[in-house]
Amino acid sequence: MADYTLSEFLYWIRVQDREVSVLVVEGIRDTRCWALFVPDEERGESIVIPIERIDIPTQPGGHRGKALYLAQILRETDIEDRVCIFIDADNDYILGNEHDQPVLLTDFRDLESYGLSHDSIKIIVVALGKSDESSGSCANCISEIGQRLGILHAANENIGAGLPLSSSIINFRDRIFKKKKGSIVFNFEKLVNIAFEESSSEFSDREYFKNIYTVFEDRSNLDYRFCVRGKDAALILSVFTGKSYEECLSVLHFSVLSGHNEHRNHNNFSFVEKFLSNC
């Protein structure tokens, strides 16, 4: 249930509290993260609120779409410098999409990606009960397979294919990923075929989809963290370690929360931290 209509939100900032700075995020999980990154006692006149607290019409893209809608409204006001909208980049780095103030993207694909440096992955693997010797192999699997999955998601969005990639990866993981000799074999063709079989979309041109994927793969020389979805990384961790997907995602979230000092080295994270601290 929203706490503010859009008009009430704008009135609050423009008239009722002209000193406040507001960080708008996608969800409750993000507010909890920033509560740890910048505790209340370190903030000036700033608060963090999830987009769901503002009554905004349903938009494509869920909470992220609503946040982008709010940004459009704010650009027509005189208060956009007092509001920062911090959202997951999702596929924007791969697709080359750009956003103007007050939108700021995560430095990598999503919030979980801050916990996916090779060193962080190695710590996660050991925390999940595997040997330190195997951690490097798992890091390579996440960076290589995760990047391919990320490009698949971007191609899917780019042409509006509407393929259920996320649910196919979760529901058919045993047919798509195989643990073999301390590594993971990813069956790209199998995933694409399953996604088309499970799709309710009218899009049916498999070869065209694969060609679009190849275009983005050839064009992408990005750091893997710009491509890897946190949820895909957790699934790869699950396949590699034998632990549940939920446990792997939980440990990945903890890695993000515990890496605060490292995150400060990244421009957008650092900007938000200073924004909340009124520095």
Side-chain angles (χ1 to χ4, degrees):
M1 189 72 178
D3 296 330
Y4 307 94
T5 65
L6 184 53
S7 295
E8 288 170 343
F9 175 75
L10 297 175
Y11 182 81
W12 165 48
I13 299 174
R14 296 183 72 179
V15 179
Q16 289 185 308
D17 193 341
R18 298 186 180 187
E19 301 299 322
V20 71
S21 297
V22 181
L23 176 67
V24 178
V25 294
E26 291 186 55
I28 296 296
R29 176 181 61 88
D30 303 292
T31 64
R32 291 170 180 161
C33 287
W34 286 106
L36 289 172
F37 295 149
V38 186
D40 286 345
E41 60 269 19
E42 295 180 12
R43 298 180 189 175
E45 297 290 328
S46 64
I47 64 170
V48 184
I49 65 171
I51 191 66
E52 63 201 63
R53 287 184 58 190
I54 308 169
D55 188 12
I56 290 176
T58 301
Q59 301 293 318
H63 289 336
R64 188 177 191 270
K66 288 186 176 185
L68 292 173
Y69 177 87
L70 175 61
Q72 285 184 308
I73 301 299
L74 287 168
R75 291 187 189 111
E76 300 172 4
T77 72
D78 57 355
I79 57 172
E80 65 171 337
D81 60 332
R82 290 171 47 213
V83 180
C84 178
I85 299 176
F86 189 61
I87 58 175
D88 288 346
D90 286 358
N91 297 315
D92 285 344
Y93 289 128
I94 300 174
L95 298 178
N97 297 334
E98 297 182 354
H99 301 276
D100 296 325
Q101 187 180 350
V103 174
L104 198 64
L105 302 177
T106 48
D107 292 278
F108 304 109
R109 192 194 187 282
D110 52 31
L111 198 62
E112 289 85 0
S113 300
Y114 286 101
L116 290 178
S117 68
H118 268 249
D119 287 343
S120 295
I121 294 171
K122 291 177 180 179
I123 293 171
I124 290 171
V125 172
V126 173
L128 288 168
K130 302 300 286 186
S131 68
D132 186 51
E133 290 74 18
S134 67
S135 61
S137 177
C138 185
N140 289 335
C141 289
I142 289 175
S143 61
E144 294 168 10
I145 297 173
Q147 186 165 41
R148 296 189 71 193
L149 291 173
I151 295 171
L152 268 175
H153 290 295
N156 193 33
E157 177 185 333
N158 180 254
I159 59 177
L163 298 179
L165 290 172
S166 298
S167 59
S168 297
I169 291 167
I170 293 290
N171 296 334
F172 299 95
R173 55 180 282 178
D174 292 339
R175 294 169 59 185
I176 297 167
F177 306 99
K178 299 291 184 184
K179 181 80 181 292
K180 187 175 182 180
K181 295 182 179 179
S183 187
I184 297 174
V185 177
F186 166 49
N187 193 325
F188 173 89
E189 291 288 337
K190 182 71 73 175
L191 171 57
V192 172
N193 289 336
I194 288 172
F196 271 96
E197 291 164 6
E198 295 294 308
S199 177
S200 59
S201 167
E202 294 181 0
F203 184 86
S204 60
D205 192 335
R206 301 189 188 196
E207 289 308 311
Y208 178 67
F209 179 77
K210 291 177 186 177
N211 288 339
I212 294 297
Y213 168 84
T214 301
V215 168
F216 283 112
E217 186 177 46
D218 290 344
R219 190 189 301 172
S220 179
N221 57 355
L222 298 169
D223 181 304
Y224 67 91
R225 287 176 289 176
F226 289 104
C227 305
V228 180
R229 292 172 75 238
K231 292 178 180 178
D232 289 344
L235 186 132
I236 295 168
L237 279 165
S238 176
V239 173
F240 191 92
T241 63
K243 302 294 185 180
S244 72
Y245 166 76
E246 292 75 16
E247 182 178 358
C248 292
L249 188 59
S250 178
V251 174
L252 176 55
H253 285 161
F254 182 78
S255 174
V256 174
L257 295 176
S258 62
H260 184 195
N261 288 333
E262 181 182 341
H263 306 338
R264 286 173 170 159
N265 296 324
H266 305 298
N267 291 339
N268 292 359
F269 183 97
S270 178
F271 178 92
V272 175
E273 186 178 50
K274 292 175 181 176
F275 177 85
L276 285 175
S277 304
N278 294 132
C279 295

